[in-house]
Amino acid sequence: MNLSTNNEIDIVRASSTKINDIDFDNLVFGNIFTDHMLICDFKDGKWQKPTIKPYEPFLLDPSAKVFHYGQAIFEGMKAYKDNNDDVWLFRPDENFDRFNKSAKRMAMPEVPEEVFLGGLHEILKIEKDWVKKGKGNTLYIRPFMIATGTGVVAAPSSQYRFMIILSPAKAYYSGEVKVIIAEHYSRAANGGIGAAKAAGNYSAQFYPTKLANEQGFQQIIWTDDATHTKLEEAGTMNVFFRINDTLFTAPSSERILDGVTRKSIIALAEKEGIDIQVRSVLVWELVEAAKNGTLKEIFGAGTAAVINPIVGFSYKDEYFELPKLEDSVALKLKDKLTNIQYKLEEDTFGWTVKI
Ligand code: COI
């Protein structure tokens, strides 16, 4: 190991790298991590100096509040390599802002920009060889914060740990995605934490998703908790519907995550002259459009999955198959978006940030 410091961050370099043992062509999403991680602790009311050090497990007290009350938030981001070997981030300021909104909602301290974005730049400089060239290759970035303070009193912690870990990734889903429309379970409710990237929002989906998997569906389209009539999200992604030549997606709200991919697709669709309406689509509208042939596409959008076409949906035990299209808007928008991310097309939006 070799210790250095750049004033803001202590850096302890790993004595060897795992990179030569990784089969980058056959990655299972989120299973392999790079050689280093970033750690920054919050104690005595302030953030301490961050450290980048070799990736390894760490100890926590069994009474740490994250174990008992789930005070935990995260973000999902990606780094991309262009044909000149430069590494790029996509709209990192959006993730930073949303992380701190999530922190506020979960009564956690906000993370300073120099720790979140400054730390991310430093660790990516160290791990740049883990970002492989070529469309589809990415380094998935997982910043997260957990409550590390001890004691099982149900109150916010006074100590926290912010970390960044990195995982080389290709596709999130390996096969076709069929969904079932939620009639009973909910992902989020008004006044709840649906708009925060809180860990519990995701674990609360596991049981209903397991039931859906048992029926042959990969994901659930979440509906509003009060009436189950409005279509809101698809699994861990935002969701878009194309009826005739109009794209629809629900407005972000207290129940819906303000996705970075979602808002980029809206902007790209507007630029491409695609008719896009940000409004709730009702379940009956979707079923009617599927029955009369005007429903052309459904797709999920998120950082991990990018844009994921959905091949069919089930509602009240009736299954509707989506048509296989030559002129898929989902694939056109995915191509445009990834061309910007990999610097294959001019980024007229100013979304990409060089490391
Ligand atoms: C992402 O798309 O980055 C997410 O946060 C979803 C996650 C469950 C993989």
Side-chain angles (χ1 to χ4, degrees):
M1 274 184 211
N2 151 7
L3 177 68
S4 65
T5 178
N6 73 356
N7 289 331
E8 276 106 39
I9 302 179
D10 287 331
I11 299 173
V12 184
R13 297 291 290 244
S15 50
S16 61
T17 175
K18 300 171 283 199
I19 199 165
N20 299 320
D21 304 332
I22 311 301
D23 179 359
F24 281 88
D25 292 326
N26 294 296
L27 296 168
V28 175
F29 184 88
N31 271 5
I32 286 166
F33 295 91
T34 64
D35 296 321
H36 298 88
M37 60 188 188
L38 178 137
I39 297 190
C40 187
D41 287 327
F42 180 90
K43 60 179 183 198
D44 304 326
K46 56 180 193 295
W47 287 99
Q48 310 294 307
K49 194 173 186 186
T51 304
I52 293 173
K53 57 182 290 203
Y55 186 98
E56 62 181 3
F58 56 90
L59 288 175
L60 281 183
D61 191 282
S63 75
K65 288 193 194 284
V66 64
F67 297 136
H68 303 274
Y69 304 114
Q71 218 188 347
I73 59 169
F74 71 96
E75 270 302 318
M77 309 167 72
K78 279 177 175 169
Y80 310 85
K81 193 168 262 179
D82 69 14
N83 287 333
N84 301 320
D85 278 331
D86 286 321
V87 173
W88 297 84
L89 289 169
F90 183 72
R91 309 187 78 175
D93 46 328
E94 293 283 344
N95 297 92
F96 169 63
D97 289 346
R98 189 173 61 188
F99 191 79
N100 279 339
K101 280 188 193 144
S102 302
K104 190 167 176 205
R105 180 61 184 84
M106 297 299 286
M108 299 168 100
E110 293 186 20
V111 175
E113 187 172 334
E114 62 273 19
V115 174
F116 189 108
L117 292 177
L120 180 55
H121 276 254
E122 278 312 310
I123 193 167
L124 284 175
K125 278 197 243 162
I126 293 172
E127 305 288 48
K128 62 180 184 320
D129 291 346
W130 288 81
V131 195
K132 296 294 176 195
K133 264 205 291 231
K135 237 181 170 182
N137 293 315
T138 64
L139 187 61
Y140 185 74
I141 301 165
R142 179 49 69 90
F144 65 102
M145 177 169 29
I146 52 171
T148 50
T150 56
V152 293
V153 167
S157 176
S158 58
Q159 293 185 18
Y160 295 88
R161 174 161 284 192
F162 169 74
M163 297 189 68
I164 300 176
I165 55 175
L166 307 167
S167 174
K170 281 182 176 277
Y172 188 74
Y173 290 106
S174 51
E176 291 192 330
V177 178
K178 287 186 204 161
V179 294
I180 189 162
I181 295 182
E183 291 174 58
H184 171 68
Y185 291 103
S186 301
R187 178 191 168 273
N190 283 336
I193 58 169
K197 233 168 149 61
N201 276 339
Y202 294 79
S203 52
Q205 296 191 23
F206 293 167
Y207 177 67
T209 307
K210 178 171 164 271
L211 298 181
N213 293 161
E214 283 164 9
Q215 294 178 66
F217 298 93
Q218 286 65 44
Q219 282 296 348
I220 296 176
I221 291 202
W222 300 106
T223 47
D224 66 293
D225 62 298
T227 66
H228 294 291
T229 56
K230 294 179 191 156
L231 300 161
E232 308 223 303
E233 290 204 32
T236 60
M237 303 175 285
N238 293 115
V239 64
F240 288 74
F241 306 94
R242 175 181 162 204
I243 299 177
N244 284 319
D245 281 327
T246 302
L247 269 189
F248 297 89
T249 192
S252 54
S253 71
E254 280 189 322
R255 301 186 304 271
I256 298 181
L257 194 82
D258 188 13
V260 180
T261 310
R262 171 188 171 279
K263 63 171 78 162
S264 306
I265 291 172
I266 295 171
L268 273 174
E270 281 166 356
K271 184 172 173 234
E272 292 299 308
I274 295 167
D275 183 27
I276 172 131
Q277 292 189 22
V278 179
R279 70 139 169 102
S280 296
V281 174
L282 303 174
V283 178
W284 72 260
E285 289 181 280
L286 190 77
V287 171
E288 193 171 280
K291 284 186 174 161
N292 68 24
T294 54
L295 178 65
K296 304 290 183 210
E297 293 179 73
I298 307 178
F299 57 93
T303 299
V306 195
I307 290 181
N308 204 278
I310 287 165
V311 300
F313 73 92
S314 162
Y315 182 62
K316 291 200 187 296
D317 294 330
E318 199 173 354
Y319 181 68
F320 301 89
E321 187 96 19
L322 274 285
K324 290 183 181 47
L325 301 176
E326 295 280 294
D327 64 333
S328 158
V329 168
L331 296 184
K332 178 178 172 177
L333 288 170
K334 181 175 180 181
D335 205 44
K336 289 270 161 207
L337 180 67
T338 49
N339 278 351
I340 292 175
Q341 291 168 333
Y342 288 87
K343 306 300 284 181
L344 297 168
E345 242 177 70
E346 193 193 348
D347 170 16
T348 53
F349 296 97
W351 286 337
T352 47
V353 176
K354 195 169 171 177
I355 294 298

